[in-house]
Amino acid sequence: MLKFIIRRLGAAIGILFGASLLLYVLVINSGDPLEDLRESNAENREYLMQQRIEFMNLDVPWYQRYWDWLVGVGKCFALQCDLGTNRSGVSVDSLLALAASSTLRLVLLATILALIVGIAIGILTAIRQYSGLDYGVTFATFLFFSLPVFWAAVLLKEYMAIGYNDWLRDPDFTLQQILVIAALAGFLMQVFLAGSLRRRIITFAATAVFIGAALPTLLALGYFREPRLGFIGVAVLTFAVALSATAMSVGLKTKKVLYPALITAALVSVLQIVLVNVFVYYMNWWIMAAGLVLAFVIPWFIGRSMGGRYKDLAAGVSMITGVVGAGLTVLDHFFRSWPGFLDLKPRPISTIGSQTPNFAGGFWETALDYGTQLVLPTILLTVISLASYSRYTRASMLEVSRQDYIRTARSKGLPERTVIFRHAFRNALIPIATIAAFDFAALIGGAVITETVFGWKGMGELFITGLNQVDPAPVMAFFLVTGTAAILFNLLADIFYAILDPRIRV
């Protein structure tokens, strides 16, 4: 494996070198970086031209400028990158740090959501092949995939930002709206749960009645402006996750998996009360990151210690319970901070920018501001990526389900959930690893249009500005991040293959 990684990294360096040289030559020959100053009537035109020449090193041959850029990139290995300056004399290192932070938090979240939702949809449609759900989901995912990004972005701005902000000032539903929403929810639920006609009718009726009663109740409680889960709500949902994850993996009768999951849920329920003052008064990003790590480590230790021969499954189910429980705890505190956030920002969903300028709020309000700015572009990038993940998962699950070992597992009398999640799903993930690796790198480059429409100062804006100004330094910084991401994630996908399937050796 080590020789394979070294060989792949060596090839990657060669590819990056060739691609960077080609891109640099194309950019510097795409126009005249002094064109706007040549046509200027300013009295200090000559001074401005000389200043730009010095900033961009236009008085030296192109190959020397390219060599200087390579030397600056080489310093990155010593954590002292020097990517030069743009045509205004601003350090590209600082511009890249700001742009990369904005783009990566957008792309990372969109990729994770697309993976989770896309894989879940793919598994469900594979199980229900050629059903109404299969055809409906296939139509919807390809519809989203084929939508023009700029047009979909405008629709999101109009209905999920402007329309929602107007509605949130005085939340209300008419009787007709409640009936339509309840009927739609009932229809979708019976499609997903399927079953006999009698079961579908009961599912539709129960869901419609529940939604029809819940919406007026939530309005009466002022839930849309003052949402809350509460300690009891977090505890109940965490225990529900523990039971659901255990049931889907090995069944509730397997105590070696069930008990660690329940202990993890109980631990989350207690800690959310014990640490409430830390969440309210002392919370910061470092504490949240440490909490996320502990949400993995502690449940893993509990599962491995109590799982016996099921220790791997017990650790996995416990970690799912711990992470979801921690997420619910954080969500509850976001809910608690929502009214204060609305006082600072009455129209919460913004249509432009990655953060609100001069926003004066505490940790939770600032985090909510970052989150609400992420909503629209994240939804857009997620729905565009859903089609590929769901279809590849569906095709891979159908192919795996026809294998002999799946038929053997069913013939042994194993529960269907065990056959799907323990035998079929793991092998079906192998092609998904390739898609996810390339999609993450592609989204960084493909987010150019999305960032332009939503006014994000990210990698896309850095690239477009450099290209329009015939300034190679920002363009090469964009290439350095996206190209390196593509190479590294492709390498990680190959390594992930061997983890998923021990038969694969490199």
Side-chain angles (χ1 to χ4, degrees), residues 55-123:
F55 287 148
M56 299 180 66
N57 293 325
L58 298 177
D59 53 345
V60 299
W62 70 268
Y63 50 84
Q64 184 174 339
R65 281 182 277 153
Y66 176 73
W67 174 255
D68 292 339
W69 179 80
L70 275 183
V71 172
V73 172
K75 294 180 181 178
C76 292
F77 293 102
L79 302 179
Q80 297 178 347
C81 291
D82 181 12
L83 303 180
T85 60
N86 66 1
R87 71 175 192 172
S88 300
V90 180
S91 171
V92 174
D93 292 358
S94 59
L95 295 176
L96 180 62
L98 294 174
S101 63
S102 294
T103 297
L104 288 178
R105 63 189 170 103
L106 169 62
V107 171
L108 183 62
L109 181 59
T111 302
I112 292 174
L113 288 176
L115 268 171
I116 295 173
V117 178
I119 290 176
I121 290 174
I123 294 174

Side-chain angles (χ1 to χ4, degrees), residues 8 22 30 48 53 62 127 158 165 173 194 230 236 342 352-354 372 418 429 445:
R8 286 293 301 272
L22 176 61
S30 63
L48 294 175
I53 289 172
W62 70 268
I127 296 172
E158 176 63 28
N165 290 335
F173 291 110
V236 169
L342 291 181
I352 295 294
S354 57
T372 53
T418 303
L429 275 180

Side-chain angles (χ1 to χ4, degrees), residues 119 285 289 412:
I119 290 176
W285 292 112
K412 288 166 60 178

Side-chain angles (χ1 to χ4, degrees), residues 381-395:
L381 291 177
T382 300
V383 298
I384 290 173
S385 301
L386 275 180
S388 57
Y389 289 126
S390 62
R391 299 309 292 175
Y392 273 100
T393 302
R394 178 183 181 275

Side-chain angles (χ1 to χ4, degrees), residues 344-405:
L344 295 171
K345 190 178 177 184
R347 300 182 67 82
I349 308 297
S350 301
T351 58
I352 295 294
S354 57
Q355 64 185 72
T356 303
N358 304 318
F359 185 80
F363 170 81
W364 293 106
E365 289 80 13
T366 303
L368 278 170
D369 180 53
Y370 285 139
T372 53
Q373 300 281 9
L374 276 170
V375 168
L376 299 185
T378 298
I379 290 175
L380 183 60
L381 291 177
T382 300
V383 298
I384 290 173
S385 301
L386 275 180
S388 57
Y389 289 126
S390 62
R391 299 309 292 175
Y392 273 100
T393 302
R394 178 183 181 275
S396 186
M397 284 291 292
L398 290 175
E399 181 181 356
V400 169
S401 64
R402 300 187 184 100
Q403 301 298 317
D404 291 339
Y405 65 89

